[in-house]
Amino acid sequence: MAIPLVPLVLATLLSAHGLRKKSLSPSGAFAAFVVGFLMLSGGLYAFGVMLIGFYLTGSQATKYGKKRKAQLEEGYHEAGYRSGWQVLCNSASAFVAAFVWNAVFAPGSVHAKLDGILGINVQGLIGIKNAPRYDASWCPVDGSIAGGLSRMLLFAALGHFACCLGDTLASELGILSRGQPRLITTLRTVPAGTNGAMSVGGTLASITGGLVVGLVMGVSLVAENRECGVNVVVESGVWGMFGGGMGSLIDSVLGATVQQTRYSVSKGVVLQDSSRAGGEVQTISGWNVLTNNQVNLVSSTLSAGLLGWMTR
């Protein structure tokens, strides 16, 4: 089996870029390489293009307003510095969708080979028989293909990235909003950076993030397959906005309830999960059940599943 060179080069460049710019830790760069290579490989570029769009847009948003963010959050990293666990949490359900799609519809892909080597038998697990081989003669979001499976998997990946980019933009740009955020469960005003807090600016940012990912997916599909009309771009953009808003809502509810937010009174900043601060520390909201990464994993998985189910 020949190794896909273009995906290999792109995955290497992206992970090296993240490591050099300190937006990725060493473990984050390795995880990004593996995930990037497998999502860029296979019979369809849209999965990998969405990943690249999410990474580049999210990284730029993380750097924006860095001085102000450092005053509001303890342990803020201006370039993000995502760990391997963070990379996996921000790619898990989309990665699964891409793997399943390629194992079913692209039998010559790396994913199909791994499916056989590892003995997973994806088609048997999901009960699909005689799935058509993807040869660009049909649009991947055509609902008549394999009972809507191809369409569902693509929109599941869109739901995932719309949630992740929407949450990233809401967190990174919403925290800079002049308006006072309100906790989604009680509507009381809370400090900027509080988990589960929402603002008009943050909500608009999350919807915009979903729109960006939706347009990226739609344009990618139209560019690589003439069977996909321009209406695919419009549909993807609309569902992307919905996914961004829905994902932000799910993330906020989880953040306000099962993720604890602590506030350092002496420093006047919201503390990160691992932060240790002296002096008086107040608990603003939530129970200490899930970490921020775990909330991201749960919310993106739910968003992927819901959008995939709704669009099938």
Side-chain angles (χ1 to χ4, degrees), residues 251-263:
D251 188 89
S252 294
V253 171
L254 292 173
T257 55
V258 293
Q259 181 183 4
Q260 189 177 77
T261 298
R262 297 173 300 133
Y263 182 78

Side-chain angles (χ1 to χ4, degrees), residues 162-181:
C163 172
C164 290
L165 184 56
D167 176 58
T168 298
L169 296 189
S171 299
E172 300 296 343
L173 303 181
I175 193 175
L176 303 175
S177 176
R178 294 182 180 274
Q180 191 77 4

Side-chain angles (χ1 to χ4, degrees), residues 29-281:
F30 176 74
F33 170 77
V34 174
V35 171
F37 172 69
L38 288 175
M39 290 195 70
L40 287 162
S41 304
L44 196 62
Y45 294 128
F47 293 107
V49 173
M50 280 192 284
L51 174 66
I52 293 174
F54 161 68
Y55 169 71
L56 294 179
T57 306
S59 295
Q60 290 302 312
T62 302
K63 298 175 184 178
Y64 184 76
K66 56 187 179 183
K67 291 183 179 179
R68 175 63 176 156
K69 292 174 187 175
Q71 297 172 349
L72 298 172
E73 287 187 332
E74 177 80 5
Y76 165 74
H77 293 285
E78 68 175 67
Y81 206 66
R82 292 176 174 83
S83 66
W85 176 236
Q86 286 175 297
V87 170
L88 293 176
C89 287
N90 283 290
S91 61
S93 51
F95 176 80
V96 171
F99 188 93
V100 172
W101 191 95
N102 282 286
V104 173
F105 299 108
S109 65
V110 176
H111 315 75
K113 300 300 182 186
L114 288 174
D115 179 45
I117 292 172
L118 299 176
I120 300 174
N121 187 19
V122 168
Q123 294 198 39
L125 287 175
I126 60 179
I128 292 292
K129 295 181 179 179
N130 303 317
R133 182 189 182 105
Y134 180 66
D135 56 3
S137 64
W138 46 270
C139 182
V141 291
D142 185 341
S144 67
I145 303 299
L149 179 64
S150 176
R151 177 181 173 85
M152 182 188 72
L153 292 172
L154 269 163
F155 277 100
L158 173 58
H160 171 96
F161 284 123
C163 172
C164 290
L165 184 56
D167 176 58
T168 298
L169 296 189
S171 299
E172 300 296 343
L173 303 181
I175 193 175
L176 303 175
S177 176
R178 294 182 180 274
Q180 191 77 4
R182 292 181 178 273
L183 196 66
I184 191 172
T185 50
T186 63
L187 299 182
R188 66 184 174 89
T189 57
V190 289
T194 299
N195 299 307
M198 298 188 74
S199 65
V200 174
T203 301
L204 291 176
S206 66
I207 295 173
T208 301
L211 173 63
V212 169
V213 179
L215 293 178
V216 166
M217 183 182 98
V219 170
S220 175
L221 288 172
V222 171
E224 66 178 294
N225 190 323
R226 65 180 62 184
E227 295 298 321
C228 297
V230 178
N231 62 300
V232 169
V233 179
V234 178
E235 182 185 32
S236 298
V238 171
W239 279 112
M241 287 192 293
F242 178 80
M246 176 181 66
S248 179
L249 181 64
I250 294 173
D251 188 89
S252 294
V253 171
L254 292 173
T257 55
V258 293
Q259 181 183 4
Q260 189 177 77
T261 298
R262 297 173 300 133
Y263 182 78
S264 172
V265 178
S266 59
K267 294 183 178 181
V269 295
V270 171
L271 302 175
Q272 300 291 331
D273 290 334
S274 58
S275 297
R276 298 289 183 269
E280 183 182 354
V281 175

